[in-house]
Amino acid sequence: MIDVFHTLTKAIKKYEKIYIMTHKNPDLDGLGASICLYKIVTSFNKECYVIDTEEPKDSSIEKMYQLLNENQLEIKTKKESKAIRDLNENTLLIILDVHKPEMVEAKKLLEKSSHVIVLDHHIKGTSYIKGTEFSYINSSISSITEFMVYYLKYLNKSVDSVIATIMIIGIEIDTNNYKLKTTEKTYEAAALLTSMGADSILKQELLKENKEAYLKRSYFVNKSEMMNENMALCIMDDSICVPKDLAEIAEQLLQFDKVEASFAIGNLGKNIVGVSARSLGNVNVEEIMSVLGGGGHLTDAAAQLSNITIEEVKKQITEIVNQR
């Protein structure tokens, strides 16, 4: 990755202003990596902003921003509309943890940006951002945070212990606590973050959730059904949920006897249905999600579909599975 780090550094130093954004419904992998990159960019004395949208945020994301403020770790953010107004030829947009244009956090900003870099760790799909300065998509990496840890190492830089804690959570979430997509490099990245002061107690505080959310998720897990002899399916109700809920439900379903793959379906917003898929490795859920326009990894994938009902998505997944 040395060549990639060199190219990335050269590009950052070339532009006066850097925008950083991740995918819709951001998680602590995408945002943790964004904050790390923000600190790197500002260390080069560049104007930098993390793109923020009006979308509701997961409780862990809200806690993250609160923690950063309490520790006076300023992260300048900018709303999409303001970012578009401030665009010029000396602005570089860096997109992390996603390469599909329909899944970025601020699609209009992407469309308006002339200079774009994409850094992702998901399997490259048929839909991808074109016309970039350069793209680095490596599905052998556990998380985009892992990439960013090694970028820190390449630059001989570190981050504050609070940011290191956020980043190690990002790795743990994307690897399901080192059960999936984990290599020697992943453990080394976690060790490097620990050496920077990543705090296990602070980590637990950030990941705490309220009892009602836990019980609601357990209710839907209890209502799950088997699609066939080795695949489980959970359908949420009509209320709005967050991708984290779907991901955790899919992961919980894998704990049950005979379940080799699992799917959780729910509404992520008005006219947007999300699917989270997990596998123990014998079923390629990335292939299934790619048919729906999503993507991910062999054992961890997702999709978001617009203007469709939960039942219609369930029918599509059932048909795809039955054709395998």
Side-chain angles (χ1 to χ4, degrees):
M1 289 191 287
I2 299 299
D3 290 344
V4 178
F5 295 150
H6 175 76
T7 304
L8 178 58
T9 305
K10 186 177 179 181
I12 290 170
K13 291 182 176 180
K14 176 182 174 182
Y15 292 92
E16 293 178 359
K17 180 165 53 184
I18 313 295
Y19 290 156
I20 302 168
M21 77 170 173
T22 181
H23 48 74
K24 293 177 184 177
N25 302 298
D27 55 21
L28 286 177
D29 179 36
L31 271 180
S34 297
I35 291 166
C36 175
L37 184 57
Y38 174 91
K39 289 298 183 181
I40 290 171
V41 171
T42 53
S43 75
F44 296 147
N45 296 314
K46 296 289 183 177
E47 183 180 358
C48 186
Y49 302 92
V50 174
I51 301 303
D52 189 17
T53 65
E54 304 293 343
E55 295 296 320
K57 294 179 176 59
D58 178 77
S59 61
S60 61
I61 303 299
E62 297 283 5
K63 288 179 184 178
M64 179 198 76
Y65 277 115
Q66 182 181 349
L67 184 63
L68 291 169
N69 289 333
E70 288 173 354
N71 286 272
Q72 299 180 328
L73 296 167
E74 182 185 19
I75 306 295
K76 290 184 178 179
T77 62
K78 187 169 284 197
K79 298 296 183 184
E80 180 181 22
S81 57
K82 182 70 165 61
I84 292 173
R85 288 197 300 271
D86 293 344
L87 266 177
N88 57 45
E89 278 301 309
N90 285 313
T91 304
L92 173 66
L93 173 63
I94 303 178
I95 298 173
L96 302 178
D97 204 28
V98 62
H99 65 269
K100 297 188 176 185
E102 65 271 19
M103 294 180 68
V104 300
E105 191 173 18
K107 190 175 180 181
K108 289 181 180 178
L109 175 60
L110 170 60
E111 292 169 351
K112 296 287 184 179
S113 298
S114 301
H115 310 291
V116 179
I117 288 173
V118 173
L119 305 170
D120 193 17
H121 70 107
H122 296 97
I123 294 172
K124 189 173 183 179
T126 54
S127 172
Y128 59 91
I129 298 167
K130 299 177 176 65
T132 61
E133 297 268 312
F134 82 91
S135 293
Y136 180 71
I137 303 171
N138 185 347
S139 61
S140 69
I141 301 172
S142 72
S143 56
I144 198 61
T145 298
E146 180 180 320
F147 172 89
M148 210 54 62
V149 171
Y150 285 104
Y151 188 35
L152 283 172
K153 184 179 180 181
Y154 165 81
L155 295 169
N156 196 27
K157 293 180 181 291
S158 64
V159 291
D160 182 272
S161 61
V162 171
I163 297 175
T165 302
I166 293 167
M167 291 175 70
I168 206 168
I169 293 172
I171 291 177
E172 291 179 3
I173 288 174
D174 265 32
T175 61
N176 191 15
N177 289 314
Y178 307 105
K179 296 185 184 75
L180 306 170
K181 301 174 294 179
T182 303
T183 66
E184 179 183 349
K185 288 288 187 181
T186 310
Y187 289 117
E188 185 181 342
L192 286 168
L193 290 171
T194 302
S195 72
M196 294 177 199
D199 188 318
S200 59
I201 295 176
L202 182 58
K203 180 178 69 176
Q204 293 304 314
E205 287 296 323
L206 277 169
L207 292 174
K208 277 185 178 179
E209 63 178 333
N210 62 54
K211 182 179 178 181
E212 289 72 22
Y214 173 81
L215 291 175
K216 182 178 180 180
R217 197 165 59 244
S218 298
Y219 168 78
F220 288 111
V221 169
N222 188 51
K223 289 184 65 179
S224 63
E225 59 189 66
M226 294 298 292
M227 300 176 65
N228 54 32
E229 62 182 13
N230 65 348
M231 297 188 190
L233 175 70
C234 180
I235 302 293
M236 305 289 280
D237 59 20
D238 291 332
S239 61
I240 304 299
C241 60
V242 295
K244 179 183 175 184
D245 290 332
L246 298 179
E248 291 186 355
I249 286 173
E251 286 169 3
Q252 279 186 263
L253 292 175
L254 283 183
Q255 299 176 28
F256 298 136
D257 188 33
K258 298 182 181 180
V259 176
E260 293 287 333
S262 60
F263 305 88
I265 309 173
N267 289 313
L268 298 181
K270 188 177 180 181
N271 299 321
I272 300 176
V273 174
V275 185
S276 187
R278 295 292 185 273
S279 165
L280 294 178
N282 293 327
V283 177
N284 189 334
V285 292
E286 192 279 333
E287 287 185 354
I288 297 171
M289 291 298 98
S290 66
V291 177
L292 299 178
H297 295 275
L298 167 72
T299 57
D300 176 354
Q304 293 185 14
L305 300 90
S306 301
N307 301 313
I308 192 170
T309 67
I310 289 177
E311 283 300 320
E312 288 171 336
V313 174
K314 175 185 176 181
K315 182 179 178 182
Q316 287 189 25
I317 293 175
T318 303
E319 290 175 350
I320 296 167
V321 168
N322 289 339
Q323 291 171 3
R324 290 174 60 84

